[in-house]
Amino acid sequence: SGLIGYVFHSRTGVIPPRTVAQLSSFGEPVRANELRTGDLVMFGRGRPTHAGIYVGEGRFLHAPRTGRDVTVSALDGGYWAKRFKQARRIATH
């Protein structure tokens, strides 16, 4: 969620909430088949516990955990596909 805050603030001036729990109700819900670049994607087993930024072509950018490199992963990859919870669109205008 720190990555999301940094990207959105530096690129759009929007300051999103700090935690994944707060992000899960921020912006507008988006159907998985309607994702656009910049939408947030959230993952978890129960409630959302991890989030990333959709970059197109079925991929998203995320920071796996503190101290690890930022990574691009496939939404339909086994691990992430099983844990996908929701997507949100943050208005930037």
Side-chain angles (χ1 to χ4, degrees):
S1 56
L3 172 67
I4 291 168
Y6 173 79
V7 169
F8 273 85
H9 184 253
S10 65
R11 300 295 294 166
T12 69
V14 171
I15 302 173
R18 169 82 176 92
T19 68
V20 175
Q22 293 167 329
L23 283 171
S24 69
S25 60
F26 189 66
E28 298 296 322
V30 177
R31 294 178 190 191
N33 64 346
E34 296 176 351
L35 285 169
R36 295 193 315 218
T37 301
D39 288 343
L40 301 182
V41 289
M42 295 175 209
F43 307 88
R45 289 199 168 151
R47 61 184 173 81
T49 56
H50 187 71
I53 302 169
Y54 186 70
V55 295
E57 299 181 7
R59 300 176 308 144
F60 69 101
L61 180 76
H62 63 116
R65 63 180 173 264
T66 303
R68 296 280 310 266
D69 292 339
V70 172
T71 304
V72 175
S73 297
L75 279 174
D76 63 359
Y79 182 87
W80 297 111
K82 292 177 188 175
R83 290 164 176 78
F84 180 80
K85 299 307 276 180
Q86 66 172 306
R88 309 288 294 185
R89 184 165 294 144
I90 299 174
T92 57
H93 298 112

